[in-house]
Amino acid sequence: MFVRGLKRKCFDGEEDIEGTLAGIKAIPSYNLQRQSLLDMSLVKLQLCHMLVEPNLCRSVLIANTVRQIQEEMTQDGTWQMINTQSTGQTSLDRLVSTDILCRSSREQAEGKQVPGYGSFSKDFEDDQTQDSSETMSTSSSVQAPRNMQSNVWEMENPQESRGNFQKSLDQIFETLENKSPNSVEDLFSEVDNSYYDLDTMLTGMMSNTKMGHCDGLETFSSPTTATSNSNCKSDLNELDHIVEILVES
Amino acid sequence: QNKSRPHSRGEYNVYSTFQSHEPEFDYLKSLEIEEKINKIRWLPQQNAAHFLLSTNDKTIKLWKISERDKRAEGYNLKDEDGRLRDPFRITALRVPILKPMDLMVEASPRRIFANAHTYHINSISVNSDHETYLSADDLRINLWHLEITDRSFNIVDIKPANMEELTEVITAAEFHPHHCNVFVYSSSKGTIRLCDMRSSALCDRHSKFFEEPEDPSSRSFFSEIISSISDVKFSHSGRYMMTRDYLSVKVWDLNMENRPVETYQVHEYLRSKLCSLYENDCIFDKFECCWNGSDSPIMTGSYNNFFRMFDRNTRRDITLEASRESSKPRAILKPRKVCTGGKRKKDEISVDSLDFNKKILHTAWHPMENIIAVAATNNLYIFQDKIN
């Protein structure tokens, strides 16, 4: 319903693939890939905590990366939007190849001049929701109405979500120092089996490492199996849930 | 450079093997301390024996390695097979004589320096005074005396009062080769601080701060990670220092803090692959670097069992491979080339074919000869100049 024949309301000074509807499916947007990087980083941090003694340097670098992404997303105003789309399905969709993030910021700036093409509703004309439209080949139809509601709601609470994130990140970080065996046990009892899969995947990726894409991550299912309620607020705090698991000891 | 020296075969045998550290269990934290050795540093040789410091995550040990090629025979108080003789049976005295025996290399632990590090030790460095050394973990640097094991002095502490504020860790540290009061330490943000121990007991304030301003046009989410310095080494002259970050090697003049004097790209073709390298954690690999004795060629490792050498004088660089296929004894190493795009020439290897499990993190250059040691996963390669 969103795919063909939709008038593009974009500012495309941009040529070639990124401008065509056909190309939308092929190349995930900067925002989508940034989200994917954020998810990947959070997973890495969580896996850190499952190790007996995490590598502090690695954890610090990953945490700094997460902060950078969060800051940029907050500036963009996309932070609230993205966090409403947090069903398991969407997490999958968001874990796409992040090649675009490897480009320099200059290249990205050029790419970012096409923010809102293919938006599926007039209401989102001014929002940078091209990632929603780009998942139309998958199951975004369900999320679209939700987004409309939750988006409006979330816009009113930017500070809270940001504060939650910061708090969550700090809590993750604090547990780096105060590691006890009990928390490890709790983590393992609480956590979805998908963690083990991810771990094997990541290790598997390391043991036969070629220049792969995020193929392995595509089988990763959402860790937040417990967020069963349809409340958008708890969906937003997917991160908080992760942190709940971590500090529960 | 090429003095006359005995013709060497070009093959090496293991001299000695010993177990330096054993796995330990930290009862307070309920975790196991790995026996894995992080760093080894030789002490300057003062007698026939060799001394080295080796460290795992938490404990440093001083080892003495000595040779024994003679054995005494004809003891008075014990038999040839070692049993003690009954003193009443001894009727005459003799002088034991030394007889040659097969070479035996003994390693014995002389000092154990423990319980001084909360975080993982990443560096040790022997001071030019030959009496002290430093050990560095993620947040602290301690100064030891080689003779004293129950005490060390903390000389750098960057741990924030609130761990939530932690954004930077220490990644490497080294003493200056000539000035025993000067040392440097590098950080995960790509900075180097030079400290003078005479200025204060706790060297939290640096004397010099080395940082290259970031190129805003190449900024990405991975900029900080790839700027993290994995190794720092002073030149033999003491005038320069070299740092290794993920993609490059930089040579700094100690008198110029605002940028390096030379930058060498190790594997620039990886810059467009940083996401994948982040995903598979390769971006966190810590490569070392080293100087040749003359301070002109420098060397560092890469992936696919490649290692790189840069000649600072001629500005030429070369990529070599440490693998069984290309390293038959006496064989001359062939330069390798990575194809970065477009058509791949015959002997080139494309970036996508590189094996990222075959990483060369550790390389060492003989301080006086043109002999290098290269560690490739579980193999050690020793290469030397062609012998005419």
Side-chain angles (χ1 to χ4, degrees):
Chain A
M1 48 185 117
F2 305 105
V3 185
R4 302 276 183 253
L6 203 58
K7 192 169 169 186
R8 275 193 333 226
K9 299 167 200 248
C10 63
F11 319 99
D12 58 348
E14 232 19 76
E15 69 294 318
D16 73 276
I17 333 170
E18 301 218 35
T20 65
L21 280 169
I24 289 172
K25 257 200 291 186
I27 301 175
S29 75
Y30 173 83
N31 279 5
L32 200 61
Q33 296 187 9
R34 181 176 60 184
Q35 181 63 41
S36 184
L37 181 64
L38 177 63
D39 292 339
M40 195 199 311
S41 305
L42 290 171
V43 166
K44 280 183 186 291
L45 277 178
Q46 270 181 279
L47 289 178
C48 265
H49 284 73
M50 292 187 191
L51 289 179
V52 215
E53 226 184 348
N55 181 328
L56 190 61
C57 181
R58 182 170 171 275
S59 305
V60 166
L61 289 172
I62 297 173
N64 289 352
T65 308
V66 168
R67 279 196 196 101
Q68 277 182 55
I69 299 174
Q70 180 253 338
E71 272 170 28
E72 192 182 282
M73 287 175 91
T74 310
Q75 282 168 19
D76 278 351
T78 52
W79 173 247
Q80 299 83 359
M81 262 306 301
I82 298 302
N83 273 282
T84 62
Q85 304 173 4
S86 52
T87 61
Q89 198 76 37
T90 326
S91 305
L92 263 172
D93 299 337
R94 291 208 297 257
L95 292 173
V96 295
S97 158
T98 49
D99 293 334
I100 199 171
L101 294 171
C102 298
R103 300 186 208 157
S104 72
S105 58
R106 183 184 30 203
E107 295 168 23
Q108 284 168 2
E110 293 159 15
K112 277 175 88 168
Q113 282 163 21
V114 198
Y117 65 79
S119 52
F120 53 84
S121 161
K122 274 190 233 166
D123 295 348
F124 292 94
E125 197 171 335
D126 299 327
D127 291 332
Q128 294 183 4
T129 56
Q130 69 274 31
D131 33 294
S132 309
S133 57
E134 276 152 25
T135 57
M136 53 180 122
S137 59
T138 54
S139 56
S140 61
S141 52
V142 174
Q143 286 118 35
R146 272 179 67 201
N147 286 343
M148 289 167 70
Q149 297 164 2
S150 53
N151 184 41
V152 170
W153 186 85
E154 288 309 326
M155 288 297 197
E156 296 165 27
N157 299 283
Q159 282 311 110
E160 181 188 87
S161 58
R162 180 179 183 175
N164 279 341
F165 177 82
Q166 188 59 39
K167 182 169 78 82
S168 313
L169 189 56
D170 290 343
Q171 279 172 330
I172 287 178
F173 218 71
E174 220 176 70
T175 61
L176 275 174
E177 224 204 343
N178 308 321
K179 200 91 204 350
S180 72
N182 289 338
S183 62
V184 174
E185 302 307 303
D186 289 341
L187 278 174
F188 276 95
S189 61
E190 280 272 13
V191 148
D192 198 3
N193 276 335
S194 58
Y195 278 131
Y196 290 96
D197 298 334
L198 183 61
D199 189 49
T200 337
M201 257 186 276
L202 285 177
T203 352
M205 277 199 277
M206 285 180 75
S207 62
N208 55 348
T209 310
K210 297 287 177 184
M211 273 316 184
H213 304 287
C214 301
D215 294 319
L217 287 173
E218 280 165 15
T219 63
F220 172 76
S221 53
S222 169
T224 61
T225 51
T227 51
S228 51
N229 51 35
S230 53
N231 192 334
C232 293
K233 184 173 181 184
S234 67
D235 286 340
L236 167 77
N237 296 331
E238 170 187 340
L239 179 58
D240 273 359
H241 175 75
I242 294 172
V243 173
E244 275 169 38
I245 298 175
L246 285 171
V247 299
E248 192 175 318
S249 57
Chain B
Q1 185 79 7
N2 283 324
K3 305 193 259 294
S4 65
R5 57 185 168 187
H7 184 72
S8 39
R9 281 182 59 232
E11 275 184 61
Y12 289 79
N13 287 321
V14 171
Y15 178 68
S16 167
T17 305
F18 60 95
Q19 186 77 19
S20 173
H21 288 65
E22 299 279 350
E24 283 175 45
F25 197 75
D26 181 335
Y27 293 96
L28 274 173
K29 293 189 190 174
S30 288
L31 26 95
E32 185 169 282
I33 301 167
E34 285 187 329
E35 71 273 30
K36 177 170 73 78
I37 305 293
N38 295 336
K39 282 285 148 70
I40 301 171
R41 288 288 180 266
W42 292 101
L43 265 61
Q45 192 172 12
Q46 286 169 332
N47 51 37
H50 293 282
F51 287 86
L52 62 83
L53 287 171
S54 69
T55 184
N56 66 355
D57 284 338
K58 303 282 176 152
T59 304
I60 307 132
K61 293 191 184 180
L62 175 68
W63 286 90
K64 174 180 176 182
I65 297 131
S66 47
E67 291 184 0
R68 188 194 293 244
D69 60 357
K70 291 185 259 294
R71 188 183 63 228
E73 274 179 16
Y75 285 101
N76 292 292
L77 294 176
K78 40 179 193 182
D79 282 342
E80 294 309 316
D81 51 6
R83 277 183 313 179
L84 289 173
R85 288 167 80 189
D86 191 356
F88 295 107
R89 301 274 183 93
I90 299 171
T91 53
L93 286 179
R94 56 188 175 169
V95 177
I97 49 173
L98 292 175
K99 290 214 167 137
M101 60 180 255
D102 288 339
L103 177 65
M104 202 166 75
V105 181
E106 297 174 319
S108 54
R110 303 305 272 188
R111 305 272 187 278
I112 297 179
F113 306 90
N115 301 321
H117 285 280
T118 310
Y119 303 95
H120 294 174
I121 298 174
N122 53 52
S123 310
I124 45 176
S125 176
V126 182
N127 206 349
S128 51
D129 62 9
H130 302 174
E131 287 183 352
T132 57
Y133 75 95
L134 63 75
S135 59
D137 66 30
D138 294 314
L139 298 178
R140 298 191 177 100
I141 302 180
N142 293 330
L143 179 71
W144 302 83
H145 192 284
L146 284 164
E147 300 290 329
I148 301 169
T149 59
D150 60 355
R151 216 179 322 154
S152 72
F153 292 100
N154 176 243
I155 52 177
V156 173
D157 189 338
I158 65 166
K159 182 178 175 191
N162 188 354
M163 273 296 272
E164 291 169 5
E165 293 162 7
L166 181 66
T167 57
E168 192 174 8
V169 300
I170 297 170
T171 52
E174 198 181 52
F175 266 119
H176 191 278
H178 308 309
H179 305 302
C180 57
N181 51 299
V182 172
F183 67 94
V184 292
Y185 68 93
S186 60
S187 84
S188 56
K189 290 199 170 173
T191 65
I192 309 104
R193 289 170 175 81
L194 184 144
C195 300
D196 187 332
M197 294 198 290
R198 294 172 304 189
S199 57
S200 66
L202 187 61
C203 299
D204 275 357
R205 281 208 306 261
H206 48 263
S207 301
K208 295 197 185 194
F209 182 76
F210 298 83
E211 185 179 30
E212 181 169 30
E214 192 183 20
D215 176 13
S217 66
S218 67
R219 171 135 192 89
S220 74
F221 286 122
F222 306 108
S223 294
E224 184 180 311
I225 301 179
I226 62 168
S227 76
S228 175
I229 291 174
S230 51
D231 194 16
V232 64
K233 292 266 171 50
F234 280 102
S235 65
H236 293 88
S237 64
R239 202 187 139 192
Y240 299 97
M241 67 177 175
M242 168 165 57
T243 57
R244 174 73 154 96
D245 50 74
Y246 189 63
L247 296 179
S248 68
V249 172
K250 297 179 180 172
V251 176
W252 303 76
D253 185 323
L254 292 186
N255 297 317
M256 190 162 75
E257 299 171 51
N258 58 356
R259 60 178 176 82
V261 289
E262 294 151 31
T263 302
Y264 301 93
Q265 301 302 333
V266 181
H267 35 221
E268 181 69 11
Y269 46 79
L270 294 184
R271 192 180 287 273
S272 58
K273 310 280 184 184
L274 292 178
C275 322
S276 305
L277 294 164
Y278 178 73
E279 188 188 327
N280 63 23
D281 272 356
C282 282
I283 206 174
F284 300 107
D285 286 336
K286 293 187 190 283
F287 293 93
E288 292 176 2
C289 55
C290 60
W291 298 84
N292 163 280
S294 68
D295 289 342
S296 173
I298 55 181
M299 172 168 63
T300 190
S302 177
Y303 293 104
N304 209 68
N305 279 347
F306 287 171
F307 58 100
R308 304 263 284 140
M309 281 191 200
F310 305 94
D311 190 318
R312 298 175 60 220
N313 292 335
T314 65
R315 294 301 175 140
R316 283 166 50 192
D317 63 275
I318 191 170
T319 305
L320 299 169
E321 183 179 359
S323 70
R324 288 188 182 259
E325 299 77 37
S326 54
S327 306
K328 303 286 183 284
R330 305 300 207 74
I332 295 184
L333 291 179
K334 206 176 60 165
R336 310 285 291 160
K337 192 144 163 53
V338 175
C339 162
T340 52
K343 294 191 68 159
R344 186 178 76 88
K345 301 200 190 84
K346 185 163 101 48
D347 279 334
E348 290 182 355
I349 180 167
S350 72
V351 180
D352 295 319
S353 312
L354 294 174
D355 188 341
F356 288 83
N357 291 313
K358 296 186 180 168
K359 46 193 95 175
I360 293 182
L361 304 175
H362 308 285
T363 58
W365 215 313
H366 193 288
M368 288 169 294
E369 312 270 347
N370 250 357
I371 306 174
I372 59 173
V374 174
T377 317
N378 54 351
N379 292 307
L380 179 69
Y381 294 84
I382 298 181
F383 301 111
Q384 59 190 77
D385 257 357
K386 294 185 289 234
I387 299 171
N388 299 323

